[in-house]
Amino acid sequence: MDQSKWIQKIEELSKNALPAMQTQIYDGWVIRFADGYTKRANSITPIYPSNENVKKKISNCEQLYFARNDKAVYKVTPQANPINLDRVL
């Protein structure tokens, strides 16, 4: 199994181990809400392929958190899509 598949598998397992109160999949990004409980359970994780314009997508994701009076937290791994996501953020 290549590294990107291992990262994806670990992320999936960790999300199942610490479930959020609500989870949404948005164009390959896993968006989790846990009323601010922890960053891991209350974060955006880009682990699947994505097609939408990344700047628009970031804005849309952040609006979801702002509507809940919370901050958007991103969990960026080497598999993040797009590859330069950390620089875009």
Side-chain angles (χ1 to χ4, degrees):
M1 186 179 290
D2 66 32
Q3 181 182 6
S4 65
K5 292 294 181 191
W6 277 111
I7 292 169
Q8 183 177 333
K9 185 67 172 175
I10 290 168
E11 288 301 316
E12 290 172 352
L13 290 170
S14 70
K15 300 228 175 309
N16 288 328
L18 184 60
M21 295 172 76
Q22 182 181 5
T23 301
Q24 296 178 9
I25 305 295
Y26 173 38
D27 188 45
W29 290 10
V30 180
I31 304 170
R32 296 164 38 99
F33 303 99
D35 289 338
Y37 178 64
T38 69
K39 288 183 180 180
R40 181 180 300 272
N42 202 57
S43 62
I44 302 162
T45 308
I47 61 173
Y48 301 110
S50 177
N51 297 307
E52 186 173 328
N53 174 281
V54 70
K55 289 183 180 180
K56 179 180 180 204
K57 189 171 185 178
I58 289 168
S59 177
N60 290 342
C61 288
E62 290 178 354
Q63 289 302 315
L64 292 171
Y65 283 90
F66 296 157
R68 294 169 181 257
N69 294 317
D70 209 348
K71 295 179 184 178
V73 175
Y74 295 84
K75 185 171 182 206
V76 180
T77 68
Q79 185 186 333
N81 190 333
I83 293 172
N84 67 338
L85 180 61
D86 55 342
R87 283 184 266 138
V88 175
L89 291 169

